[in-house]
Amino acid sequence: FRNVPRPFFQYRNGSITKIGNRVVAQPIYGFNLSQKLISVDSEFRVEKIHVELGLAVTFVLIIVLTGILVASLHVLNSVYGDYKTIKASSSRLNHFAYIGCYSVLFALLLYTVVETIDLGSVNPTVTSVLCNALPWFTSIGFSLIFGTVMLKTLRIYIIFTKMKRMQRVNYTYLKDPVMSAFIVSLLVIDILFCTLWCSVDPLKYGSETRINVEDATQEVEEFCTSDFYTLWIGLIALYEGTLIAFAVFLAILSQKVHMKEFHTNHVITLAYLFFFVAGIGTAVLFITTFLNVNVNVSYTVLCLTVTSLVYLCWFFLFLPPIFPLLKEKFYRHEA
């Protein structure tokens, strides 16, 4: 069925996948060549599948609200960076996590646009920009978030190991500038990876048409894809998963550490929750993709997973060092 003109495709609930200029037909099992040829373009009613507008608006409001909450704590982290609890929690490192949260939230907004508009009618240049921006913001955002959690857990582990062995702790290598250099190195890896992906196998407009003879309809689902899309996504998942898995490994080794000034309990708990939420969300997304469920379901799962990770950062990484400041300001105002 490859390279056959579209009007002469015939199916009984088969599918057409179009990537760029390539059209790939996937008929169902048991297709009978003696069946009557049906002109898809002339006899079938076209129904384009998009995320429901009400659902998209709901999650856009949630994303914007989440961004405002993150930004409010970011302002306090910047203004009161010398406050004892904020300074002890590595306020400079926290900036990377804040930027990572903004990045993944913006990626969600871009994904919402892609899933709600008619990509086929949009200027190809605009479609290309939208599609290729997604891996940049997503990959860089998660690397900044997971990298910050991993390095904070690593610092806890190093301090705990040295103290347990009665050895002197060299804090030179644990200061924020050195730790920031490690995060920048992770950022460089992401930039190189995304540059390679968008140069060798850029994302472009793709569509899949599902034919239903009984209902005389063809459902067209539009999306961003590339020739080796699954491979690239798998590499990103492996890279990000390695970062958070290493953080969990260090958290297990450091779970008996209780250092209030470094908020060790919150960082260790965050590493566990990150691993759990990201793992469950990724697994559900792969299942929904494999089962080809309704696009609204996969969109909801993705949005809930990403916003949950950001809220975990808000509660366990951003809020604990700032809460004593807010408490002090509140009591001072009451007095």
Side-chain angles (χ1 to χ4, degrees):
F1 296 127
R2 191 182 296 274
N3 298 327
V4 180
R6 282 191 63 197
F8 298 99
F9 280 126
Q10 79 148 336
Y11 310 90
R12 179 186 296 276
N13 299 335
S15 66
I16 309 169
T17 301
K18 183 177 182 182
I19 302 176
N21 295 322
R22 294 193 302 111
V23 177
V24 181
Q26 298 174 335
I28 64 167
Y29 176 78
F31 176 72
N32 188 353
L33 291 176
S34 64
Q35 291 178 350
K36 178 183 177 181
L37 289 173
I38 299 175
S39 174
V40 173
D41 288 335
S42 61
E43 298 188 18
F44 278 69
R45 184 178 71 257
V46 178
E47 294 181 356
K48 293 198 173 183
I49 302 174
H50 297 292
V51 172
E52 292 181 2
L53 183 60
L55 181 64
V57 170
T58 300
F59 274 109
V60 166
L61 293 176
I62 293 174
I63 293 168
V64 172
L65 175 61
T66 305
I68 292 173
L69 291 174
V70 172
S72 62
L73 293 187
H74 194 185
V75 171
L76 293 175
N77 183 85
S78 302
V79 175
Y80 298 98
D82 292 330
Y83 187 77
K84 54 184 179 181
T85 56
I86 298 177
K87 188 175 182 179
S89 69
S90 303
S91 59
R92 293 181 182 176
L93 278 183
N94 289 340
H95 287 305
F96 290 103
Y98 281 114
I99 296 173
C101 289
Y102 299 143
S103 182
V104 295
L105 290 175
F106 185 71
L108 264 189
L109 290 177
L110 287 179
Y111 181 71
T112 301
V113 171
V114 170
E115 289 295 325
T116 52
I117 66 173
D118 186 358
L119 286 178
S121 61
V122 177
N123 185 288
T125 303
V126 176
T127 302
S128 177
V129 171
L130 284 174
C131 290
N132 287 282
L134 283 172
W136 281 88
F137 286 100
T138 304
S139 181
I140 289 176
F142 279 123
S143 290
L144 291 175
I145 295 172
F146 291 163
T148 301
V149 175
M150 182 194 70
L151 288 175
K152 286 198 171 192
T153 313
L154 177 62
R155 178 158 56 187
I156 293 171
Y157 170 73
I158 292 175
I159 295 174
F160 168 70
T161 304
K162 293 288 186 179
M163 292 177 63
K164 186 177 180 181
R165 296 175 181 175
M166 303 299 290
Q167 298 177 350
R168 181 176 175 273
V169 180
N170 187 353
Y171 287 98
T172 303
Y173 300 101
L174 302 178
K175 291 183 177 180
D176 286 355
V178 178
M179 291 292 181
S180 298
F182 281 104
I183 296 183
V184 171
S185 66
L186 296 177
L187 188 61
V188 170
I189 293 175
D190 273 304
I191 293 175
L192 293 176
F193 178 83
C194 292
T195 301
L196 179 64
W197 182 359
C198 295
S199 300
V200 176
D201 187 26
L203 287 159
K204 50 184 173 286
Y205 169 81
S207 65
E208 181 178 349
T209 304
R210 291 186 287 274
I211 306 300
N212 192 315
V213 176
E214 286 77 8
D215 296 336
T217 59
Q218 56 170 328
E219 297 179 342
V220 180
E221 183 176 350
E222 300 173 313
F223 44 78
C224 296
T225 187
S226 63
D227 294 333
F228 301 98
Y229 182 77
T230 305
L231 173 63
W232 296 109
I233 291 295
L235 291 175
I236 289 180
L238 179 63
Y239 173 60
E240 307 294 352
T242 301
L243 292 179
I244 195 60
F246 185 59
V248 170
F249 173 72
L250 294 173
I252 293 174
L253 297 179
S254 310
Q255 60 184 348
K256 294 183 180 180
V257 182
H258 300 286
M259 302 171 67
K260 187 176 180 180
E261 63 273 16
F262 288 111
H263 303 280
T264 55
N265 292 336
H266 295 102
V267 174
I268 292 173
T269 303
L270 179 60
Y272 288 136
L273 291 175
F274 263 2
F275 186 79
F276 177 76
V277 174
I280 295 296
T282 304
V284 173
L285 280 174
F286 272 109
I287 292 173
T288 55
T289 302
F290 178 76
L291 296 178
N292 198 21
V293 299
N294 188 285
V295 66
N296 294 306
V297 176
S298 57
Y299 172 76
T300 301
V301 172
L302 178 62
C303 289
L304 289 178
T305 300
V306 175
T307 52
S308 296
L309 292 175
V310 174
Y311 274 112
L312 287 176
C313 277
W314 196 88
F315 279 109
F316 292 96
L317 188 63
F318 302 147
L319 185 60
I322 294 177
F323 185 73
L325 171 66
L326 298 175
K327 189 177 179 180
E328 178 182 311
K329 294 288 183 181
F330 175 78
Y331 283 126
R332 183 182 299 175
H333 176 73
E334 288 293 319

